[in-house]
Amino acid sequence: MSYQLHPERLKKPWEFQRAYKKGKKYWNTHFVIYVYHTQLKQPRLGITVSKKVGKSVQRNRVKRLIRESFRVLKYHLLPHHDIVVVGRSAACGLTMQEVRDSLHKLFLRASILTNRETDR
């Protein structure tokens, strides 16, 4: 059994491609998410932020904010899902709270939040 540093992250290109091709797509002005149902016991996150969003500093900030939002929200997510979040250019100027709210709304729309979190 190999040791995996971040078991809750998507890393392989084929995992991203599977989510893009077979997953369900949801979007708003800041993000696009692809949700793919798996047999794994925990939700996993993949992040894509293209160069259209900005230079590396802005892209990395968006990725950090997405990762932190997922860290907070993952306990309220249903298991058995791979989620790929694609950052759009509008996500550049967002605060941490705005990113979390935006992703929360997308997760609600995708119906991957547990019942206790949907009443928020």
Side-chain angles (χ1 to χ4, degrees):
M1 186 172 180
S2 67
Y3 177 74
Q4 194 175 9
L5 190 61
H6 293 288
E8 71 275 353
R9 290 204 194 149
L10 299 179
K11 294 217 172 100
K12 307 276 188 228
W14 64 266
E15 293 172 321
F16 282 85
Q17 290 303 316
R18 181 178 64 183
Y20 292 142
K21 290 184 176 137
K22 297 181 179 177
K24 194 102 170 63
K25 180 179 178 180
Y26 303 90
W27 65 90
N28 62 21
T29 54
H30 307 112
F31 303 105
V32 178
I33 66 168
Y34 294 86
V35 179
Y36 177 74
H37 191 275
T38 64
Q39 296 302 314
L40 299 171
K41 296 194 185 320
Q42 64 190 14
R44 297 190 307 165
L45 175 71
I47 301 173
T48 306
V49 181
S50 108
K51 286 186 176 180
K52 293 177 188 173
V53 172
K55 299 212 183 258
S56 62
V57 174
Q58 286 114 350
R59 292 196 310 271
N60 289 332
R61 181 177 182 276
V62 170
K63 288 191 276 189
R64 279 195 310 272
L65 292 174
I66 293 169
R67 244 183 261 117
E68 176 62 17
S69 297
F70 180 77
R71 188 188 67 79
V72 171
L73 293 170
K74 74 179 173 185
Y75 302 105
H76 306 290
L77 291 172
L78 294 172
H80 310 296
H81 290 96
D82 281 354
I83 304 160
V84 175
V85 179
V86 180
R88 293 176 143 184
S89 351
C92 261
L94 296 180
T95 64
M96 179 65 223
Q97 187 63 47
E98 291 169 333
V99 170
R100 193 176 320 142
D101 290 344
S102 184
L103 286 175
H104 183 267
K105 287 175 187 163
L106 282 174
F107 293 162
L108 264 177
R109 208 168 343 139
S111 303
I112 57 174
L113 287 173
T114 57
N115 288 335
R116 65 179 181 272
E117 185 59 18
T118 54
D119 302 330
R120 191 178 137 173

